[in-house]
Amino acid sequence: NFIKENGLEDQITMSSSETLQESIDWANENIDDPAELKKTLDNINSGNFAGAVYDGKVLVYMPHAAKGNKLGVFAHELLHAVASSKLKGSQKALNAAGEKLFDYLKKNHLDLATYVEAAVMPYIGKPEYYEEMMNALSDALSEGFQYNESLLKSIRRFINTALNGTNLEVGSSG
């Protein structure tokens, strides 16, 4: 699997839950930061919970992931964990990468930029706004946004240039 193939098994663990109570239990067992725990528990109780990432631990809430066939939730949450791991958990670095990506999309792929921007509207004013741009792009491509190989190559080239020196790279398979 992706985690093992990229030597991340010591840095990232994936879990899934079938019930909200399992999600609450996971949060209580895995999140030691009180503010982050409260945020995660509030999210679980909101009815919109899809997954969580904390310190390399990833949880996907399966009923939400399966609802609407959004099985890309695994990829979305894994991308958070991998990017955070490779960028040493720096929110500033994550946001800088996301902002560069969004600027690139606005200049070169306006329709995709518009799609991504709409997807991150719930994050306006939040610290992770630009980080979510990278995940929204991944979501768009996995959820049926029409693209061609040329678009993928140009996005991959941009991401690898923007993340040069971070030990995070997008390979030819995605």
Side-chain angles (χ1 to χ4, degrees), residues 8-21:
L8 299 170
E9 58 267 37
D10 293 337
Q11 300 168 36
I12 298 172
T13 58
M14 297 288 292
S15 302
S16 62
S17 62
E18 295 292 335
T19 67
L20 290 175
Q21 187 58 53

Side-chain angles (χ1 to χ4, degrees), residues 23-99:
S23 300
I24 291 168
D25 292 344
W26 179 93
N28 284 316
E29 291 168 15
N30 290 285
I31 302 175
D32 55 16
D33 177 273
E36 190 65 29
L37 177 60
K38 181 185 180 330
K39 181 175 131 183
T40 301
L41 292 174
D42 288 348
N43 192 13
I44 291 169
N45 291 316
S46 74
N48 295 317
F49 181 68
V53 177
Y54 181 77
D55 196 27
K57 298 173 210 120
V58 179
L59 174 69
V60 174
Y61 178 53
M62 294 306 292
H64 184 86
K67 185 172 72 176
N69 234 1
K70 293 194 176 221
L71 297 176
V73 172
F74 274 100
H76 180 106
E77 299 303 338
L78 180 60
L79 179 56
H80 275 298
V82 170
S84 180
S85 172
K86 296 294 185 176
L87 296 175
K88 310 292 187 244
S90 166
Q91 190 64 53
K92 185 176 181 179
L94 291 167
N95 285 339
E99 187 170 12

